[in-house]
């Protein structure tokens, strides 16, 4: 004779839908899956003993969750609050370790710039704040505290008294307006910048290409070829990047980039080409404006306010980063140039082949990356 449970389970349609999702879930904790299956089986009228045998749990477990759901619904399937193990550390010890985390390591004569959880735990034991403590416990205390000494916010005081007018002029250019007049179809806006200190690396032996049943193979060891600088000119309206590589940043490598752009269509025959640049040494000051206009009459150099590189589109929109890294680490050719600023009629000698075992830097190799998106 089947014994009828005194706790009938009748879930609502909404509760049944949630229970079915939980019962099929592969990401929930297994205990929550089992509880959902118990309730669903009980709702079908199955006895407790049959449910326990099918789910391989004790019959008391089935009785417990049947009773809880009948009394409180879905919320009753959660674990009840527990007191947990008594605290091992006193509030004074916890406060002492938090104070230690707010102390610079240099004040403790340690060769560190900032703490890690493991170093804090070791220092707390060394200072006899606690007898022993794990790094995980220290990390948990700091994460729960309102003061988080590892976080910081930086600021900078405005140095450019004409920040507003300069920023507005650049933003108007991005909106295709100059001095209140809309730009024409043959006016272009270029955002330019450089990225220095790129590692030029080359594998000691050639790689092996992919083949059926074999992935591409790359030799582990590499040789260093020094550092290179990458100059990029980003057409903000067409999302196209033209770049050059040079041994270092400076006026002359930037001039090579300008020549590369200004001799390439559609910029070579444009009415005006506006160059938005920051105040780096390669193109700062009023003299750079004079050099630009003298060499390229259709080019207009527009400086950003001081400390406003975040207004430079080529700096904030860097889909070309991976491309420039590949360009800087690939084979390059050595080439030298004379003169501080090339004119429209200047010509660039053809690159000579690289010699030796390491790649030689160049200021004539270029790469173009066309990003798919524009911000």
């Amino acid at each position: 004779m089947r014994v009828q449970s005194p706790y009938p389970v009748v879930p609502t349609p909404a509760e049944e839908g949630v229970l079915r999702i939980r019962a099929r879930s592969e990401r929930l904790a297994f205990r929550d899956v089992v509880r959902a299956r118990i309730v669903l089986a009980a709702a079908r009228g199955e006895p407790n003993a049959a449910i326990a045998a099918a789910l391989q749990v004790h019959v008391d477990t089935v009785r417990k969750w049947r009773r809880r759901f009948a009394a409180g619904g879905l919320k009753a399937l959660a674990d009840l609050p527990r007191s947990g193990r008594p605290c091992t550390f006193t509030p004074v010890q916890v406060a002492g370790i938090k104070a230690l985390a707010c102390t610079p390591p240099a004040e403790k004569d340690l060769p560190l710039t900032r703490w890690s959880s493991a170093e804090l735990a070791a220092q707390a034991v060394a200072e006899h704040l606690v007898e022993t403590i794990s790094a995980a416990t220290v990390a948990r205390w700091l994460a729960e505290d309102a003061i988080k000494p590892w976080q910081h916010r930086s600021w900078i005081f405005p140095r450019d008294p004409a920040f507003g007018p300069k920023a507005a002029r650049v933003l108007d250019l991005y909106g295709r307006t100059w001095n209140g007049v809309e730009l024409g179809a043959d006016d272009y806006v270029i955002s330019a910048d450089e990225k220095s200190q790129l590692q030029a690396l080359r594998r000691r032996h050639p790689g092996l290409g992919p083949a059926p049943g074999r992935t591409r193979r790359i030799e582990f060891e590499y040789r260093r070829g020094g550092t290179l600088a990458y100059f990029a000119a980003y057409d903000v309206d067409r999302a196209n990047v033209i770049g050059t590589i040079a041994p270092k940043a400076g006026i002359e490598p930037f001039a090579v980039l300008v020549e590369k752009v200004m001799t390439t269509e559609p910029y070579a025959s444009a009415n005006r080409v506006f160059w938005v640049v920051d105040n780096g040494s390669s193109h700062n000051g009023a003299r750079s404006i004079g050099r630009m206009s003298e060499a390229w009459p259709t080019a207009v150099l527009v400086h950003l306010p001081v400390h406003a590189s975040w207004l430079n589109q080529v700096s904030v929109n860097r889909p070309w980063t991976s491309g420039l890294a590949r360009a800087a680490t690939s084979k390059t050719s050595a080439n030298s140039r004379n003169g501080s600023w090339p004119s429209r009629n200047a010509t660039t000698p053809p690159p000579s082949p690289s010699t030796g075992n390491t790649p030689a830097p160049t200021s004539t190799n270029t790469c173009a990356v066309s990003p798919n998106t524009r911000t």
Side-chain angles (χ1 to χ4, degrees):
M1 180 179 177
R2 176 182 295 182
V3 179
Q4 188 70 24
S5 173
Y7 304 103
V9 174
V10 185
T12 64
E15 290 177 332
E16 185 174 356
V18 174
L19 289 169
R20 290 187 181 280
I21 292 174
R22 290 184 184 181
R24 295 192 302 265
S25 176
E26 296 180 355
R27 296 189 177 185
L28 281 178
F30 186 66
R31 61 177 180 270
D32 295 326
V33 175
V34 171
R35 293 169 190 176
R37 291 175 179 175
I38 290 173
V39 174
L40 288 174
R44 293 193 297 266
E46 298 182 18
N48 293 342
I51 298 173
L55 298 178
Q56 297 182 354
V57 296
H58 198 275
V59 68
D60 289 342
T61 302
V62 177
R63 295 192 186 104
K64 171 183 175 180
W65 295 113
R66 176 195 283 268
R67 181 178 69 252
R68 290 232 192 138
F69 184 85
L74 286 175
K75 293 182 179 180
L77 296 182
D79 289 333
L80 296 177
R82 295 184 174 89
S83 60
R85 189 179 67 175
C87 294
T88 305
F89 303 98
T90 65
V92 175
Q93 291 175 317
V94 175
I97 292 179
K98 291 180 179 179
L100 179 63
C102 296
T103 305
E107 295 185 8
K108 301 295 182 178
D109 296 328
L110 295 175
L112 304 172
T113 57
R114 57 182 180 178
W115 295 104
S116 69
S117 300
E119 289 156 352
L120 279 171
Q123 187 66 20
V125 174
E127 295 186 9
H128 305 290
L129 295 177
V130 293
E131 291 185 3
T132 181
I133 190 172
S134 68
T137 300
V138 173
R140 186 177 69 254
W141 289 350
L142 296 178
E144 294 172 351
D145 197 76
I147 299 177
K148 303 184 186 304
W150 63 89
Q151 295 181 352
H152 72 278
R153 295 182 64 184
S154 60
W155 78 92
I156 188 169
F157 292 103
R159 288 179 47 195
D160 198 329
F163 183 93
K166 289 182 179 179
R169 182 176 57 176
V170 172
L171 294 176
D172 285 344
L173 272 179
Y174 293 156
R176 297 200 58 78
T177 301
W178 177 251
N179 292 334
V181 179
E182 186 175 353
L183 299 184
D186 56 349
D187 291 327
Y188 299 89
V189 180
I190 299 292
S191 175
D193 199 5
E194 65 269 4
K195 184 177 179 65
S196 59
Q197 300 298 318
L198 287 172
Q199 288 262 6
L201 306 177
R202 185 178 181 184
R203 301 291 170 181
R204 293 181 65 91
H205 302 284
L208 189 63
R214 183 189 69 199
T215 58
R216 181 186 176 200
R217 298 178 183 177
I218 299 177
E219 207 267 337
F220 173 78
E221 196 172 359
Y222 59 85
R223 294 178 179 178
R224 297 181 183 273
T227 57
L228 301 174
Y230 182 81
F231 288 77
Y234 177 62
D235 189 327
V236 299
D237 295 310
R238 291 159 182 79
N240 183 55
V241 174
I242 298 177
T244 61
I245 302 173
K248 61 181 180 179
I251 295 176
E252 183 176 348
F254 179 69
V256 174
L257 173 69
V258 174
E259 180 186 10
K260 174 65 180 178
V261 174
M262 297 301 292
T263 56
T264 303
E265 293 295 345
Y267 315 107
S269 57
N271 178 39
R272 289 176 298 182
V273 180
F274 295 91
W275 286 75
V276 178
V277 296
D278 58 20
N279 294 273
S281 59
S282 302
H283 35 63
N284 67 339
R287 295 180 61 183
S288 64
I289 299 177
R291 288 195 302 267
M292 176 73 89
S293 60
E294 181 180 352
W296 308 96
T298 59
V300 181
L301 195 65
V302 182
H303 285 103
L304 291 161
V306 178
H307 295 315
S309 293
W310 45 273
L311 287 175
N312 201 348
Q313 284 292 311
V314 75
S315 298
V316 301
N317 187 8
R318 293 200 175 212
W320 43 270
T321 302
S322 58
L324 69 90
R326 287 193 296 270
T329 55
S330 64
K331 277 189 176 181
T332 55
S333 303
N335 179 60
S336 60
R337 297 186 53 85
N338 295 321
S340 59
W341 197 276
S343 66
R344 177 181 293 276
N345 298 323
T347 58
T348 302
S352 59
S354 174
T355 58
N357 295 325
T358 58
T362 181
S363 59
T364 60
N365 277 10
T366 62
C367 66
V369 181
S370 298
N372 296 324
T373 57
R374 172 189 170 196
T375 58

